[in-house]
Amino acid sequence: IELVEKSGFGFLRKIPAISLDNPLISALVERWRKETNTFHFTVGEMTVTLQDVALLLGLAIDGKPVIGITHTTCAAVCEKLLGKAPDSNYASGGMVKLSWLKEYFSHCTKDSPKEEVEQCTRAYLLYLVGSTIFSTTTGNKVPVMYLPLFDNFEECGTYAWGAAALAFLYRALGNACVKSQSTICGCLTLLQVYYVLPLLSYLVLQFIMLMGSVS
């Protein structure tokens, strides 16, 4: 937990999984315009901002850019940073299955050596970003290109993960709004919460105004 906090993902790890409202997500995608990176509603345009990402996900929006090298295979980088490499059943190209990370790195005792703790933490961070902010269309794989960024946990905390998450979501929405596309990736939890919270605030305000007029 200390290493996760140091890496800048202390708040993100505490966000519980929520059931996605697929009709709502589809409706939002239909109203997305990639030319302006905004949703076009009858009342005007809206979009997810860096401030929304910082407040809702607790990720840094200022810092080093999240960039890296795209790996065509997983073996070398996983062996170096995780201590073991996935077999062909768990890896394809430069991506590894989330189930492999969970199966082999979810057990870490208090007596585990420091190296093993760090390897498990890197695996957890890769699993975390692969299932939230950088989720793929398949939903069960994550590119290992993020793994080297978890090599040094203190340096990891200096990256602008929030800005990267927003850019990733913008690109995902731009791809999904094309008629030929039927799937979407990215942080859909952020998208759903971003839309629902203002709606709830509006309904609460309307309720308060209604009760005031009744009294």
Side-chain angles (χ1 to χ4, degrees):
I1 293 177
E2 181 182 346
L3 293 177
V4 173
E5 295 276 354
K6 190 179 296 184
S7 301
F9 293 95
F11 186 85
L12 183 65
R13 76 172 185 85
K14 298 177 183 177
I15 299 178
I18 65 173
S19 298
L20 292 177
D21 188 332
N22 291 323
L24 172 61
I25 299 297
S26 297
L28 290 173
V29 169
E30 290 176 0
R31 288 159 178 76
W32 181 260
R33 297 296 179 270
K34 59 181 179 180
E35 296 82 8
T36 57
N37 285 330
T38 56
F39 297 105
H40 284 228
F41 299 117
T42 54
V43 295
E45 296 182 39
M46 293 177 62
T47 194
V48 186
T49 66
L50 287 172
Q51 184 180 22
D52 296 321
V53 176
L55 293 176
L56 296 176
L57 299 183
L59 294 174
I61 57 175
D62 188 22
K64 296 179 182 178
V66 179
I67 55 176
I69 300 174
T70 302
H71 295 269
T72 56
T73 59
C74 300
V77 65
C78 287
E79 187 71 42
K80 177 184 177 182
L81 296 172
L82 299 181
K84 64 179 65 178
D87 56 36
S88 57
N89 295 327
Y90 290 103
S92 60
M95 306 182 76
V96 64
K97 287 187 177 180
L98 296 175
S99 58
W100 178 76
L101 296 171
K102 187 174 183 179
E103 180 178 349
Y104 289 95
F105 299 96
S106 59
H107 303 288
C108 185
T109 65
K110 293 182 179 180
D111 300 327
S112 298
K114 180 180 178 182
E115 183 181 10
E116 183 180 342
V117 173
E118 292 180 347
Q119 290 170 346
C120 289
T121 304
R122 295 189 189 102
Y124 172 75
L125 291 174
L126 186 62
Y127 182 95
L128 182 64
V129 299
S131 59
T132 55
I133 58 177
F134 299 138
S135 65
T136 61
T137 53
T138 61
N140 64 354
K141 296 179 181 178
V142 58
V144 295
M145 63 177 292
Y146 305 113
L147 197 51
L149 301 177
F150 305 138
D151 187 12
N152 185 305
F153 299 106
E154 290 187 359
E155 186 176 352
C156 177
T158 65
Y159 288 102
W161 292 103
L166 184 60
F168 192 93
L169 181 61
Y170 276 7
R171 184 174 63 177
L173 285 167
N175 294 333
C177 71
V178 179
K179 289 184 178 180
S180 59
Q181 186 72 19
S182 60
T183 57
I184 184 174
C185 57
C187 193
L188 302 183
T189 299
L190 170 64
L191 187 61
Q192 181 167 310
V193 172
Y194 160 78
Y195 180 80
V196 170
L197 283 180
L199 179 60
L200 289 176
S201 299
Y202 173 78
L203 293 176
V204 170
L205 180 60
Q206 292 297 312
F207 177 75
I208 293 175
M209 293 174 63
L210 177 62
M211 294 302 294
S213 62
V214 171
S215 60

